[in-house]
Amino acid sequence: MTTTPPVGSAETDRSSTRRHVLAWSLFVILGSAGAWFGWMAWDQEYQVDPVTGMEHGPYEAWQVIGCGITLLLIALWTSRSRWWLTVLLLPPSFTVAWSLTAAAEDSTGLWLVGAMLVGIGSTLGTVVVLGITRLTQVIWRQRRSAAAQPEPLPPPRL
């Protein structure tokens, strides 16, 4: 026979916290992997400029911008939450998603170098977003608390 803990107990609070952390973690993991697969992974074809004959690609600028904005929004939204550390799952999940596509198409093994660069770049970007978000929150809280303080009355004139 199982018993359920009373509402408001420490056990209920811990399970609620675990569920929230798991939900935020899944949001970050699926969102960042989805950013790669949704914006970039489907277009692996290089384009040839008919005038110059030069090959470029495989990604268009709008794909890279869309993927970057998606990752930025995930990082911003998550870093504002109470469980802001879950945003640190973004770089490894994005790197794994990138690696799945790159490893399948690379016969040289250089995709490992690319994976390290993607991992380093996404980690640095995530840390910058976290830092700016946390700094903004601290400044905002300080200003709100300062605005809530009543101004002292001037000394009486004699």
Side-chain angles (χ1 to χ4, degrees), residues 45-126:
E45 187 175 317
Y46 285 83
Q47 294 84 29
V48 178
D49 187 343
V51 176
T52 63
M54 293 184 66
E55 191 174 65
H56 66 284
Y59 312 114
E60 300 290 334
W62 62 268
Q63 290 174 285
V64 176
I65 292 168
C67 184
I69 289 173
T70 302
L71 292 173
L72 178 65
L73 290 174
I74 291 168
L76 284 173
W77 188 259
T78 307
S79 63
R80 290 185 64 233
S81 74
R82 184 171 162 197
W83 298 280
W84 63 273
L85 281 172
T86 58
V87 79
L88 296 177
L89 296 170
L90 189 147
S93 59
F94 186 75
T95 303
V96 167
W98 181 90
S99 297
L100 291 172
T101 305
E105 297 176 3
D106 183 30
S107 60
T108 64
L110 286 175
W111 69 270
L112 286 169
V113 175
M116 288 189 304
L117 293 174
V118 168
I120 290 168
S122 58
T123 300
L124 290 175
T126 301

Side-chain angles (χ1 to χ4, degrees), residues 21 25 32 50 79 82-83 86 92 100 107 109 133 136 142 149 151-152:
V21 169
S25 299
S32 56
S79 63
R82 184 171 162 197
W83 298 280
T86 58
L100 291 172
S107 60
T133 305
T136 303
Q142 287 176 348
Q149 300 282 334
E151 289 190 33

